[in-house]
Amino acid sequence: MSVSAASHLSPSYPDRAAWGTATKLRAWQQEAFDLYLQREPRDFLTVATPGAGKTTYALRIASELLTRGIIKAVTIVTPTEHLKRQWADAAARVGIGIDPEFKNSQGATSRDYIGVAITYAQVSMHPALHRARTEARKTLVIFDEIHHAGDAKSWGDGVREAFEPATRRLGLTGTPFRSDDSPIPFVSYVEDAEGAMRSASDYSYGYGPALADGVVRPVIFLAYSGEMKWRTRAGDEITATLGTPLTKDQLSQAWRAALDPKGDWIRQVIHAADRRLTEVRRGMPDAGGLVIASDHESARAYARHIRTVTGEGAQVVLSDDPGASKKIKDFAGSEARWLVAVRMVSEGVDIPRLAVGVYATSISTPLFFAQAVGRFVRARKRGETASVFLPSVPLLMGLASEMEAERDHVLGRRRDEDGLDDLLLEQAQQEKKQPDALGDELPFQTLEASATFDRVLFDGGEFGTAAAPGSPEEEDFIGLPGLLEPDQVASLLRKRQADQQAAKRKVKPAEDSEPALAPHELMHELRKELNGLVGAWNHRTGQPHGVIHAELRRSCGGPAIAQASAEQIRERIAMIRKWATQRK
């Protein structure tokens, strides 16, 4: 393939170019490409946010190296079978023949191909074979989502053995961190100020810069709380509200009840998400939605809910279905509304029209969350937005607030330092046919699960107040235009928040206009609301609850919460909500 042909790769290849790009590489891709050619490295690690265009960039490098005769073959290593075919399709469009069906038992591929696409698992099963293939021809190895190369000792050892002789190695990842201390092969680590070893990328392009460049969409997170009621094995009936301080066991069970297909929470959230999808489709007619489920049983049940809500079926994708890749490809090229998948669409799968998501899984690792949200952020034209619906669980709320945080893989860190050890990614990615074990240590039966709109999270800020599904307050946020610039999103969210607060002040001219609650009931509700907000602020900032309460007292005046009046507690609620709307 010629250099000239390679230089005309579409910026968002193999899909439509995003707004702000021409027929050549995007600015970040060109900058990283130029740096690569300047250094001529054997190993190069590129970190770029999901949706930024890593495939285009990597194929441009492969084309250049092939044209210059530096390499004669290309091996692409991916986490999943589906991604092998996706890479082969992309490469074929620019004249690089890649065999995605290569099997270890073959030993060699057809001369019609310049290289192969294989999985990390495939390499680990026969590293000597892949080493021999690598030694036979000058080879560029492209590691797609290279953090997977450390998933298990056998994977890491296999990758090292197979590709140590490679002429060039190009590592790609959108999430350069892991849930454990397994070193990633061919990645450099440098000692940080605390003595831990931190991964060092050669080029990095984070979500923040990509958002500023119009390469990715702004993501609006719509959080839903609600009251859950369940019965334990001992016959006890327990009620808890998502979004309020709960013990670990209470939280896990309330979360499980929310995701239970038999409860109303998930039905109401899917209904709200479909209304949001309808609004988004006014500006993006082919916009699609994705529900990320925990297990097969729930996925099928969610699809039935979608049919009830929309009148049309949802495509269900399960990884053990031999037609899974075709279903994803068909959905990507269609105008169907909804796709339901069990975990497998959490990384690397390219469906640019996905714009609305429902995070209906119990997985809370930062890595899985980042990869899942990454399915919605690829921009195709100016002003497209993404909306992700999720339960009001502190872990998830914190991750949503930290969308722009850029992490490295750190070896030797404290085990609870950054929450990356809540569940190993490889466990998270194992698709389940049965419901998750979340809360199984205290089995229960869901009795009730209702949803309440909680708040919107965007760009580190929080907007909105609790409201019933279908209420005008919820509609203010579900009905946001689907085509907005990031600064327009923030401005409109602030305006909706201010309008709602003004409306509440109008309908409450006097203290006696409160709902007919006994004084102790009213105080209980206000304290519960304030404590819930303090809990969310604690997760966002890391400040202890007592410090937050003390700062609220300094800002608003008055005694400790136990002695504070209803009006004083309201002032503190308003103050902490004000903090949440001001990015820190």
Side-chain angles (χ1 to χ4, degrees), residues 74 167 175 179 191 205 236 264 286 322 352 406 433 454 572:
V74 178
T167 302
T175 47
S179 302
E191 188 173 347
Y205 186 63
D236 298 326
D264 285 335
D286 67 338
E406 295 182 22
K433 298 185 180 181
D454 187 0
R572 296 176 196 182

Side-chain angles (χ1 to χ4, degrees), residues 1 6 9 58-68 94 96:
M1 177 180 179
L9 288 173
L59 289 174
R60 179 69 178 87
I61 288 177
S63 299
E64 185 72 18
L65 296 180
L66 286 166
T67 300
R68 294 187 180 193
V94 294
I96 301 177

Side-chain angles (χ1 to χ4, degrees), residues 8-27 29 51-53 56 93 213-217 286 350 352-353 377-384:
H8 286 83
L9 288 173
S10 165
S12 60
Y13 178 84
D15 303 289
R16 286 182 289 171
W19 167 81
T21 61
T23 56
K24 297 184 183 296
L25 295 176
R26 290 172 172 161
Q29 294 167 330
T56 300
R93 297 192 187 187
D213 291 345
V215 169
V216 294
R217 298 170 180 151
D286 67 338
D350 189 17
R353 69 185 189 90
V377 301
R378 182 188 295 276
R380 300 175 300 173
K381 67 178 182 178
R382 184 169 188 156
E384 291 183 343

Side-chain angles (χ1 to χ4, degrees), residues 10 61 110 146 259:
S10 165
I61 288 177
S110 166
I146 192 173
L259 301 183

Side-chain angles (χ1 to χ4, degrees), residues 305-495:
H305 291 336
I306 290 171
R307 179 176 286 280
T308 300
V309 168
T310 67
E312 65 179 73
Q315 182 69 270
V316 179
V317 177
L318 309 173
S319 64
D320 60 359
D321 180 353
S325 290
K326 185 178 185 304
K327 287 181 178 180
I328 292 173
K329 190 172 183 179
D330 290 347
F331 182 83
S334 74
E335 293 191 358
R337 289 179 74 89
W338 283 100
L339 175 72
V340 182
V342 181
R343 302 178 177 188
M344 67 173 294
V345 190
S346 66
E347 178 183 60
V349 174
D350 189 17
I351 309 176
R353 69 185 189 90
L354 286 179
V356 176
V358 178
Y359 195 86
T361 175
S362 57
I363 304 169
S364 58
T365 62
L367 184 48
F368 185 91
F369 186 86
Q371 291 169 352
V373 174
R375 300 315 98 217
F376 306 94
V377 301
R378 182 188 295 276
R380 300 175 300 173
K381 67 178 182 178
R382 184 169 188 156
E384 291 183 343
T385 61
S387 305
V388 177
F389 290 70
L390 73 168
S392 291
V393 173
L395 276 171
L396 300 184
M397 302 285 274
L399 295 173
S401 296
E402 299 162 2
M403 264 290 289
E404 295 187 27
E406 295 182 22
R407 294 185 175 93
D408 299 311
H409 182 216
V410 182
L411 305 180
R413 57 176 165 76
R414 291 202 321 273
R415 287 318 238 171
D416 60 351
E417 182 178 292
D418 54 13
L420 289 172
D421 286 311
D422 50 335
L423 188 64
L424 292 179
L425 179 65
E426 53 267 28
Q427 294 174 331
Q429 288 178 321
Q430 291 171 1
E431 182 170 332
K432 290 193 173 185
K433 298 185 180 181
Q434 300 302 320
D436 268 3
L438 179 68
D440 275 353
E441 67 280 4
L442 294 171
F444 68 96
Q445 175 189 1
T446 302
L447 301 177
E448 296 176 15
S450 61
T452 302
F453 173 75
D454 187 0
R455 70 194 89 164
V456 167
L457 295 92
F458 177 73
D459 197 26
E462 299 179 4
F463 308 85
T465 55
S471 66
E473 291 81 6
E474 181 200 42
E475 201 60 40
D476 276 347
F477 296 103
I478 287 181
L480 288 171
L483 293 177
L484 289 171
E485 294 292 324
D487 58 339
Q488 293 175 322
V489 174
S491 177
L492 197 49
L493 286 171
R494 283 193 293 268
K495 184 178 185 304

Side-chain angles (χ1 to χ4, degrees), residues 488-531:
Q488 293 175 322
V489 174
S491 177
L492 197 49
L493 286 171
R494 283 193 293 268
K495 184 178 185 304
R496 297 282 165 94
Q497 168 104 335
D499 290 347
Q500 287 187 3
Q501 290 174 340
K504 285 191 173 185
R505 286 194 294 270
K506 274 188 177 180
V507 300
K508 290 198 296 184
E511 183 77 18
D512 59 6
S513 64
E514 288 288 346
L517 293 174
H520 70 278
E521 292 175 323
L522 174 60
M523 294 299 289
H524 172 75
E525 291 300 316
L526 289 172
R527 288 169 181 163
K528 183 171 74 170
E529 181 178 2
L530 178 59
N531 284 329

Side-chain angles (χ1 to χ4, degrees), residues 269-288:
V269 170
I270 286 175
H271 191 195
D274 189 70
R275 296 194 336 258
R276 177 64 186 152
L277 181 59
T278 297
E279 181 60 44
V280 170
R281 280 189 163 218
R282 298 183 195 278
M284 297 171 57
D286 67 338

